[in-house]
Amino acid sequence: MAEDTQQAAQIAWGRGGTPVSTRFDDPYFSLEDGLAETAHVFLDGNALPARFRPGFHIAELGFGTGLNMLAALRLWRDSGQEGRLRYTSFEAFPMDAPDMRRALAAFPDLAPVAALLLAAWEQGETWIVTPDLLAEIVIGDARATLPRWTGKADAWFLDGFAPAKNPELWEPALMAEVGRHTAAGGTVATYTAAGEVRRALEAAGFAVTRVPGYGRKRHMTTGRMEAS
């Protein structure tokens, strides 16, 4: 079993101020438009906001800058939902607060929701509780932490670094845990269309579909859990 010890993210700054993981040699979000990528891949890919309901629970592999959570929270607010959006994210290499602040400065439209995350992150907090959000960022290797999680998600954002560079976050055993922690009728979306990922999700119980990707990516993957 993998250990869930904490190690900080290692960041360089690429074209246009995009954060790049030096550990995995991969950017944290699209060099074209990270927020548009999140909307296409994770929000549209999970049929949101149409599926939102009270208590809706999103889970994620790869918290990174927090961009996906902030985009989901803004959509929750803009679509007039009641109560709290629940959000659980698993992150092995948490980004330092100054780097997170610098990365999110690229998205001024998200500033009102980003302020909540940044204030908590700068205090070392991994729980964020507001009138419309109940979020937990679980620090450690997801191969160790996800099996111990007791929740089930209505939607999954699989946003680890590319499978070729970060294969541990896409291995079949971990995808099986994603399936085990998905509610009946729950969905999954990811930017990758790699065959090994699609096969692992199918083995985990998802009906998998390859759909058009964002920007220069021809395809991405979505899936639905028919039984759980």
Side-chain angles (χ1 to χ4, degrees):
M1 174 63 71
E3 295 182 358
D4 57 349
T5 53
Q6 179 175 337
Q7 300 180 59
Q10 299 172 0
I11 306 295
W13 297 92
R15 177 167 57 85
T18 302
V20 177
S21 168
T22 59
R23 187 188 305 273
F24 298 107
D25 187 29
D26 210 20
Y28 275 81
F29 44 72
S30 170
L31 300 177
E32 299 173 40
D33 187 332
L35 188 55
E37 179 188 40
T38 289
H40 178 85
V41 175
F42 298 113
L43 303 180
D44 294 348
N46 281 287
L48 305 177
R51 294 178 54 235
F52 279 155
R53 56 171 175 73
F56 193 86
H57 198 154
I58 296 171
E60 174 182 53
L61 294 183
F63 186 67
T65 65
L67 178 62
N68 295 338
M69 185 189 76
L70 298 178
L73 178 58
R74 185 175 70 170
L75 186 63
W76 179 265
R77 291 178 173 180
D78 289 349
S79 59
Q81 305 301 314
E82 296 183 357
R84 290 188 174 113
L85 172 67
R86 298 175 64 196
Y87 201 99
T88 304
S89 188
F90 298 84
E91 175 59 62
F93 305 106
M95 185 177 283
D96 288 341
D99 287 335
M100 184 177 287
R101 180 175 292 278
R102 178 176 174 181
L104 292 176
F107 308 102
D109 289 350
L110 289 179
V113 287
L116 301 171
L117 168 61
L118 291 168
W121 210 247
E122 288 167 353
Q123 296 299 316
E125 298 173 7
T126 56
W127 280 91
I128 304 171
V129 182
T130 74
D132 56 9
L133 177 68
L134 175 58
E136 180 186 14
I137 297 87
V138 180
I139 305 300
D141 190 322
R143 293 174 295 172
T145 57
L146 178 53
R148 298 199 295 261
W149 186 47
T150 59
K152 285 198 173 186
D154 298 298
W156 275 94
F157 298 173
L158 302 187
D159 197 24
F161 293 110
K165 298 180 178 182
N166 184 201
E168 295 83 3
L169 208 58
W170 305 94
E171 61 187 27
L174 188 54
M175 295 300 97
E177 289 295 334
V178 168
R180 192 169 71 85
H181 290 87
T182 301
T187 59
V188 62
T190 179
Y191 64 85
T192 184
E196 62 269 26
V197 173
R198 289 188 288 111
R199 288 189 292 271
L201 288 171
E202 288 173 344
F206 291 96
V208 171
T209 304
R210 190 172 67 170
V211 299
Y214 174 76
R216 290 174 290 181
K217 293 183 181 293
R218 291 184 60 193
H219 299 109
M220 54 173 270
T221 302
T222 64
R224 180 180 175 84
M225 179 66 70
E226 298 299 342
S228 182

